[in-house]
Amino acid sequence: MNLNSAAQVLELYLQTPGAPALMLWGPPGVGKSTLIRSVAQKYGYCVSDLRLSQLSPVDLRGLPTIDREKMASRWSRPVFLPVLEDVTEMQTQGYRGLILLLDEVNT
């Protein structure tokens, strides 16, 4: 599949409510991330780009804390991971939604 075909798939994907995650795979430097940002801009989506090669598992899961009332551990969400309120705020700013780009997932 070339980038033009990938763009068409991504455009259809953005028009499909409830679609599952989508993965673009290819060698570094061919334009996958640029393609996603371009299509997102065209259709009014905000992009949150996480470079997974620069994060550790703790960065993504968060730090453990203790819920003393329930005697259980909880994980404090990293501030850079978006939640529903973030998406709602983006929509008030005119975006249709959010694309969470997990880049460099293979590393």
Side-chain angles (χ1 to χ4, degrees):
M1 175 181 290
N2 61 33
L3 285 179
N4 287 334
S5 299
Q8 291 173 351
V9 169
L10 185 55
E11 289 176 7
L12 287 172
Y13 176 82
L14 289 177
Q15 298 172 31
T16 307
L22 179 68
M23 181 173 181
L24 293 178
W25 181 84
V30 297
K32 298 178 300 292
S33 300
T34 302
L35 169 72
I36 291 169
R37 285 188 203 90
S38 174
V39 172
Q41 183 178 14
K42 178 179 177 181
Y43 287 91
Y45 283 83
C46 184
V47 176
S48 179
D49 186 346
L50 296 180
R51 301 288 165 152
L52 295 182
S53 64
Q54 298 174 359
L55 299 172
S56 72
V58 172
D59 292 331
L60 293 172
R61 186 166 191 181
L63 295 174
T65 59
I66 298 172
D67 182 339
R68 296 191 187 277
E69 185 178 304
K70 296 183 179 180
M71 291 308 294
S73 61
R74 302 266 182 227
W75 294 90
S76 297
R77 176 187 65 83
V79 70
F80 60 82
L81 286 178
V83 293
L84 182 59
E85 290 81 16
D86 298 329
V87 176
T88 303
E89 175 64 26
M90 290 172 195
Q91 289 173 330
T92 64
Q93 296 172 9
Y95 290 103
R96 291 181 66 189
L98 170 72
I99 294 175
L100 180 60
L101 173 57
L102 302 177
D103 210 344
E104 301 173 1
V105 70
N106 61 326
T107 56

